[in-house]
Amino acid sequence: MRAVRERCVWSQRITHRDLVPYLIEESHEVIDAVESGTRADLREELGDLLWQVLFHAAIAAQDEDDPFDIDDVARTLTEKMVRRHPHVFGGETAATPEEVLVHWNAAKAAEKRTRRSVLDGVPRGMPALALAQKLVGRAAGAGVVASGDGRPQSSAAPATAPPGSAAPATAAPPTAASGSAAPGTEAELGDALLALVALARTNGWDAERALRERVRVLEDEVRAAEAD
């Protein structure tokens, strides 16, 4: 990485912002390798993603005001993981994944004391379905249940279920998405999609992955039709 930054005129001009599209692309290629690739594909794509981290760190090391390098990145990560695993590196105990999550959330809350909303820290650049599922979970933590009809509903007990697990009984799955009437407007389509996302979270499903995998089936069907 140092040699590339020193000798490649293209790389010398690249900024953090310039790298963003490549970071997004490489991240999605890792996802593709995990879901439908080979072990060789995954090994290669993880390397490409690692290269993005190294690239950003190399750019950061040349910042005039606040430089840091890959060692600083690794050190910061190590310190964070030690804090968030007191049952591994400290005197706490955790016999179940749920107990691990309690320690993790407590440590994270202590780190993010300056945040004023449960929505702070959610990257708005996420794909829409993944963002919706993230926000549904955060909303439940604030006692708001996505109703799927455009109107938020208050929940008597805030939901604290971990990502990928079923939501508590107070966040009943919406029924709007399963109704027989098709959405009549784009706004109603948004309500129906949000209801499906909330239903996915209730059942511990990943809405983004579900659609991605269904689209792959559609791709196979199209290619099969073209081959006939």
Side-chain angles (χ1 to χ4, degrees):
M1 186 71 250
R2 291 190 189 98
V4 167
R5 285 286 287 179
E6 289 173 1
R7 303 172 192 173
C8 175
V9 293
W10 181 85
S11 298
Q12 290 168 357
R13 299 177 182 179
I14 293 297
T15 66
H16 291 298
R17 184 178 292 273
D18 294 333
L19 279 179
V20 168
Y22 302 101
L23 178 60
I24 294 172
E25 180 180 348
E26 297 298 352
S27 298
H28 283 290
E29 289 182 359
V30 170
I31 293 171
D32 284 342
V34 168
E35 295 183 348
S36 60
T38 65
R39 298 290 292 174
D41 292 334
L42 180 57
R43 182 171 62 248
E44 178 181 357
E45 298 305 339
L46 285 173
D48 290 346
L49 187 58
L50 176 59
W51 182 256
Q52 294 298 307
V53 176
L54 294 170
F55 211 150
H56 278 285
I59 295 170
Q62 296 176 327
D63 187 88
E64 295 180 358
D65 299 321
D66 186 17
F68 60 83
D69 60 17
I70 191 64
D71 289 327
D72 296 316
V73 172
R75 185 178 304 109
T76 300
L77 174 62
T78 299
E79 291 170 353
K80 179 193 289 187
M81 291 303 104
V82 168
R83 286 195 307 272
R84 294 191 183 183
H85 292 82
H87 53 291
V88 176
F89 302 103
E92 302 292 341
T93 59
T96 66
E98 290 75 20
E99 291 176 353
V100 170
L101 189 66
V102 169
H103 293 309
W104 179 277
N105 286 337
K108 186 173 182 179
E111 295 167 8
K112 311 296 183 182
R113 288 194 183 97
T114 58
R115 291 184 175 176
R116 298 179 177 273
S117 168
V118 295
L119 302 182
D120 291 346
V122 177
R124 295 310 188 273
M126 294 173 66
L129 276 179
L131 176 60
Q133 188 152 353
K134 187 78 171 178
L135 292 181
V136 166
R138 292 291 183 92
V144 176
V145 178
S147 65
D149 61 2
R151 300 189 304 272
Q153 299 175 347
S154 296
S155 172
T160 56
S165 66
T170 55
T175 58
S178 58
S180 57
T185 66
E186 191 169 291
E188 290 179 1
L189 175 62
D191 289 338
L193 288 171
L194 183 60
L196 284 173
V197 169
L199 181 63
R201 179 178 180 273
T202 298
N203 287 280
W205 302 332
D206 185 318
E208 188 76 26
R209 182 173 61 228
L211 181 58
R212 227 176 21 243
E213 293 182 349
R214 183 60 185 86
V215 167
R216 285 198 179 97
V217 173
L218 176 60
E219 290 176 346
D220 292 340
E221 293 170 348
V222 171
R223 296 184 189 281
E226 291 175 335
D228 289 342

